[in-house]
Every structure is written in C-alpha cells, then in structure tokens.
C-alpha cells in the first residue's frame, strides 16, 4: 500500500507482520470458531425460528406486493404497496369485524374467569363427597369434541332467538371452561395451605379468602388461562360461522377473512394484508403479556 510522504512523494506502507498479524489471525479464527459453535449449539432453535418466522415473513412481504407480483414466484416486493392496507379497509368492513371479534374475545374471557376461578378453588381446596368424580367430569369434558354438541346447542339457541349474534358464543363461557378449570386447579394445589389457614384464623370467610389471599397469588395462572381463552376466541372460525354465518353485521375476523378472499377473487396481496391486520392485535397482546403467560404455564404444577 502507498501513501504520500511528508515531502510530497510516494512511499510504501508496510503491512503489519510478525506477532501483530499472527495475533489478529488468531483472533479471527477464534471468532469464527465461537460463531460455528454457537450455531451448532442452537441448530434446533434456529430451525424452529425459521419454521415459524418464515410463513409470517412471507405473509408480510406478499401483503406489500402488487397483484401481478403476488401471483409470481418472486419473494421480494419490487414496489412496496403500502396502500394495500388502506385498500383492505376500503373494500371490506374490517372495523366492524374487528369490533365484533374484540367483543367476543373480551366477553368470553371475562365470563370464563368469573365462572372458572370459583370452581377451580372448590375442587382444589374443599373436601366434599364426590369431589374426585366432579374433577373426573371436568377432565372428561376436555376430551369432548365441540362438534358433538353443535346440533342440540344450535336448536336451543334458535328457540331462544339468539342465533345470528355472538351471544351463543359468549354465554356458554359463563358455565366455565374445562381446560381453564383444570389449569387453575393444578396451580391452586401448589399454594401452601398455611396461607389460607392464617386468613381463616383472622376471621376471613371462604369468599374473602378467595378474593383477598388466593386471587393475588393466582395472577400468573389467571393471565395464562385468560390468554388461552382470548386467543381461542380471537381465532375461532367454527363457532362464529355456525351462529353468525347468515348475519354479516355480526361476523368476526375469522369469518370475514374467509368471505373476503372469495369476494376479491383471491387477490393474494390484499388477502395477506387483511391477514396481517387480523394477526397484529394477537401478536401485540402476546408480546406484552408473554412474561406472565410463561410464568403461569411454568408454575402450573402437577400435584394432586
């Protein structure tokens, strides 16, 4: 390499040689070795990340393509069509579908918590005849496919005049959810009985013990089952299709997206844009609540 000398001429600059260059080469080899070891140690994790993040990236990129490019084999947008998202809201009542989905998910989650927490507390802490049989019935309900009851349930809601709305989807949550009761009961079994006995000695009844002592300690488990129920209701397609299929004003996002795809003659860029809009709230909720969710699932014991 040549540089200007102080006198204006050119002179050659010597490259580092000897111990300095050998040290740099050793450092580079050590870095590459550490990188290869890290990749080897996390091969399974990297494969899972690629398997889960790949489809999401494909959906996001397709949502920003033109209609012609979305039907081609190209994976990267040539022109970033941010207007696809505005077009989705212009062509379909997305705000109505989002509002219906929020009402359904929030109402079903609150109803499930109100009904499931007392049942789980009774199964975990009360001693009464038939407790094991009641718990066995709860576990059995977890194995019962919802399709088995769809015809008698639909007939019942039709006679009550509630079909065509989301209330047949929300009201059953007031009678508890078997999976949520099971998880909450397993968590309650990990709480030491001494805390409850101390509250009873101070004069607290069972209702006060539940609200003042147990519920604050159940926050991780409650967050976990609430997220399970919220995600299940948000992504539910079968229930809303059965009860609101003939009433577009009460469609949720899942039903609306299916009809949107056929209505737009499968314009994949717009369909993917609508899918991103439907997924974004769930991803945001899980991003902020993942710590409580993971803690609740982890602390749910297997005692009993």
């Amino acid at each position: 390499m040549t540089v200007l000398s102080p006198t204006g001429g050119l002179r050659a600059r010597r490259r580092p040689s000897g111990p300095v260059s050998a040290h740099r080469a050793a450092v580079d080899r050590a870095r590459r070795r550490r990188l290869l070891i890290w990749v080897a140690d996390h091969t399974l994790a990297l494969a899972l990340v690629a398997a889960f993040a790949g489809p999401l990236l494909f959906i996001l990129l397709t949502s920003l393509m033109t209609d012609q490019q979305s039907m081609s084999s190209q994976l990267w947008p040539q022109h970033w069509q941010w207007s696809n998202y505005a077009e989705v809201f212009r062509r379909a009542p997305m705000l109505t579908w989002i509002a219906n989905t929020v009402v359904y998910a929030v109402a079903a989650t609150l109803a499930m918590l109100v009904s499931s927490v007392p049942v789980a507390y009774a199964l975990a802490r009360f001693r009464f005849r038939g407790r094991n049989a009641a718990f066995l019935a709860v576990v059995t309900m977890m194995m019962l496919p919802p399709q088995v009851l769809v015809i008698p349930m639909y007939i019942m809601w039709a006679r009550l005049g509630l079909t065509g709305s989301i209330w047949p989807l929300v009201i059953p949550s007031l009678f508890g959810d078997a999976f949520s009761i099971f998880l909450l009961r397993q968590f309650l079994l990990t709480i030491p009985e001494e805390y409850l006995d101390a509250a009873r000695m101070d004069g607290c009844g069972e209702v006060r013990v539940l609200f003042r002592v147990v519920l604050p300690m159940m926050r991780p488990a409650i967050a976990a089952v609430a997220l399970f129920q919220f995600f299940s209701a948000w992504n539910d397609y079968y229930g809303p299709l059965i009860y609101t299929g003939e009433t577009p004003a009460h469609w949720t996002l899942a039903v609306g997206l299916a009809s949107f795809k056929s209505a737009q003659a499968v314009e994949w860029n717009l369909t993917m844009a609508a899918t991103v809009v439907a997924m974004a709230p769930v991803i945001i909720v899980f991003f902020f609540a993942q710590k409580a969710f993971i803690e609740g699932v982890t602390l749910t014991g297997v005692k009993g």
Side-chain angles (χ1 to χ4, degrees), residues 44-300:
L44 180 60
L46 293 174
L48 292 175
V49 169
F52 285 99
L56 294 178
L57 182 62
F58 174 78
I59 291 173
L60 182 60
L61 293 177
T62 306
S63 69
L64 297 173
M65 294 180 180
T66 61
D67 184 30
Q68 293 77 14
Q69 187 183 359
S70 64
M71 299 296 294
S72 66
S73 59
Q74 298 177 358
L75 299 179
W76 193 261
Q78 294 179 348
H79 303 284
W80 298 84
Q81 293 285 113
W82 296 100
S83 59
N84 288 342
Y85 291 92
E87 185 68 14
V88 164
F89 283 88
R90 188 184 69 83
R91 294 197 183 188
M94 293 292 294
L95 293 178
T96 301
W97 296 346
I98 293 174
N100 293 336
T101 308
V102 169
V103 171
Y104 171 30
V106 173
T109 302
L110 294 177
M112 179 275 299
L113 292 176
V114 170
S115 59
S116 298
V117 170
V119 176
Y121 179 70
L123 290 175
R125 294 303 179 182
F126 290 172
R127 301 292 184 268
F128 57 90
R129 182 177 300 177
R131 186 184 69 163
N132 293 334
F135 179 66
L136 180 61
V138 171
V139 175
T140 303
M141 290 299 296
M142 293 171 56
M143 307 176 188
L144 187 65
Q147 291 81 5
V148 174
L149 301 175
V150 64
I151 294 178
M153 292 291 291
Y154 185 87
I155 294 174
M156 182 188 71
W157 295 120
R159 291 178 177 177
L160 293 175
L162 294 177
T163 54
S165 67
I166 63 173
W167 296 115
L169 306 171
V170 175
I171 294 176
S173 299
L174 291 172
F175 297 93
D177 176 70
F179 180 69
S180 300
I181 293 172
F182 174 79
L183 284 183
L184 292 172
R185 174 193 178 269
Q186 296 303 108
F187 183 86
L188 284 167
L189 290 175
T190 65
I191 298 178
E193 187 70 26
E194 289 76 11
Y195 290 107
L196 282 65
D197 292 338
R200 295 187 185 104
M201 291 180 63
D202 290 339
C204 293
E206 292 298 334
V207 176
R208 193 173 181 184
V209 169
L210 174 60
F211 283 96
R212 291 295 185 87
V213 179
V214 177
L215 283 183
M217 302 176 69
M218 288 180 62
R219 287 177 182 173
I222 290 176
V225 297
L227 286 176
F228 274 126
Q229 179 66 31
F230 183 86
F231 293 158
S232 176
W234 187 276
N235 297 319
D236 187 15
Y237 174 75
Y238 183 74
L241 178 65
I242 294 295
Y243 293 108
T244 67
E246 298 180 357
T247 312
H250 294 281
W251 281 357
T252 60
L253 275 171
V255 179
L257 287 179
S259 65
F260 178 85
K261 184 176 65 174
S262 60
Q264 303 305 322
V266 197
E267 294 183 54
W268 288 110
N269 57 335
L270 299 183
T271 301
M272 295 302 179
T275 304
V276 172
V277 172
M279 292 191 306
V282 177
I283 296 174
I284 293 173
V285 169
F286 182 78
F287 178 79
F288 286 102
Q290 61 177 330
K291 183 178 179 180
F293 176 77
I294 295 173
E295 183 180 1
V297 173
T298 304
L299 294 179
T300 300

